[in-house]
Amino acid sequence: MLTTYTFNADAILNAYNSDSFGVGFLVGLGLGVKYDYFSYKSTLSGGNFGFDARFNLGMRLIFGSRYALDFMTRFPFMEQTTGLKKTYSGADVKYKEDASFSVRFT
C-alpha cells in the first residue's frame, strides 16, 4: 500500500471570463512524501519512505461564477527507490511513476 501526502501550490491564469462562463489554466508544483507499507524494506525496517515532487498542469472551466470543473495532470519528476536489490549489481531498484490525471468539481 502506497500512501502519498502532497502539498500543491497552483496558479490560475484566466483566459476568458464572462458573467456565466470562464476558462482558465492551472500551473503549479506539488511537493510531498511517500510511504510504502508493503515494500521489501517494510519487512525489515518498517517501510520505504521517500520524497515526491510533481509539476501540475491543467484547465479550469467556470460556470455561473460559482462552480468550476478542473482537469488536472500531475507529472512526477523524481525517481523512487523500492529497497529491492538487483541481483547482478547490488543496487536498489528505482522507478518513476506515470503521470496522474484527475477531474475535480469545486
Side-chain angles (χ1 to χ4, degrees):
M1 181 171 143
L2 179 66
T3 304
T4 305
Y5 302 98
T6 307
F7 175 75
N8 291 288
D10 298 318
I12 301 171
L13 309 168
N14 290 327
Y16 173 78
N17 277 329
S18 70
D19 291 339
S20 61
F21 183 73
V23 176
F25 297 98
L26 301 159
V27 177
L29 184 66
L31 299 173
V33 294
K34 290 183 174 190
Y35 188 77
D36 187 355
Y37 293 99
F38 299 117
S39 71
Y40 172 74
K41 281 187 179 179
S42 68
T43 59
L44 302 176
S45 63
N48 187 16
F49 177 79
F51 292 99
D52 186 27
R54 297 171 181 270
F55 174 70
N56 304 328
L57 186 63
M59 186 171 105
R60 173 175 275 189
L61 302 176
I62 303 164
F63 303 98
S65 72
R66 283 188 175 186
Y67 306 105
L69 191 61
D70 295 340
F71 301 92
M72 183 70 76
T73 305
R74 291 175 176 82
F75 301 97
F77 53 87
M78 288 185 70
E79 284 186 340
Q80 302 299 319
T81 303
T82 63
L84 296 171
K85 300 290 185 185
K86 292 181 181 176
T87 57
Y88 58 89
S89 69
D92 286 343
V93 174
K94 295 184 184 268
Y95 67 94
K96 190 171 178 183
E97 288 186 14
D98 294 331
S100 63
F101 179 76
S102 64
V103 178
R104 296 182 293 184
F105 179 75
T106 56

